[in-house]
Amino acid sequence: MTVRVRRVQEPPEPDDGVRVLVDRLWPRGVSKDAARVDEWPKALTPSSELRRWYHAGEGSYEEFRERYEAELAAPEAAELLDHVRELARKGPVTLLTAVKTPQSSHAAVLARLLGGP
């Protein structure tokens, strides 16, 4: 299973496989044609409250990860997570995000849960 995280601003690569945007909002300055997004499961993204809390610097990444994983246990999110996991079993999946530090973001949490790095 190959799951990787890339910034949506980076040009698509041939080995990206299925490109999944994991941000709630469409990234500024990126056209839909240039992004080449195959799926956009908004229910997999952190809640607005959790996102605001984390970006306000009120908690650690570990606490954010725990809270986000709890949100991902909700039925709709869990179903979407299973769907993306099934895509990853069939071929490469690239999780796309606009965050500047993907390694300490929700995308990294998703990649780990999906069996990526």
Side-chain angles (χ1 to χ4, degrees):
M1 218 176 348
T2 302
V3 177
R4 67 180 183 164
V5 176
R6 296 186 63 216
R7 295 194 68 221
V8 68
Q9 294 86 347
E10 297 174 22
E13 293 182 359
D15 60 345
D16 280 349
V18 178
R19 293 171 53 87
V20 181
L21 180 63
V22 294
D23 290 347
R24 187 168 298 270
L25 303 174
W26 188 264
R28 277 189 186 169
V30 178
S31 74
K32 292 188 180 190
D33 286 340
R36 259 197 44 229
V37 170
D38 297 308
E39 300 208 12
W40 187 13
K42 294 178 188 176
L44 265 186
T45 64
S47 66
S48 295
E49 297 79 21
L50 179 58
R51 189 173 38 81
R52 284 187 202 112
W53 171 84
Y54 183 53
H55 291 295
E58 296 179 22
S60 68
Y61 177 71
E62 287 306 312
E63 188 175 356
F64 166 77
R65 182 187 56 75
E66 290 171 8
R67 290 182 180 196
Y68 181 40
E69 286 180 7
E71 288 185 357
L72 290 171
E76 184 180 7
E79 186 176 318
L80 286 170
L81 191 61
D82 286 343
H83 170 69
V84 176
R85 188 176 288 118
E86 187 58 34
L87 291 173
R89 285 188 184 111
K90 295 176 182 175
V93 169
T94 299
L95 304 178
L96 302 170
T97 184
V99 299
K100 293 181 181 170
T101 55
Q103 66 275 12
S104 60
S105 74
H106 66 289
V109 175
L110 285 172
R112 187 181 54 75
L113 291 174
L114 293 167

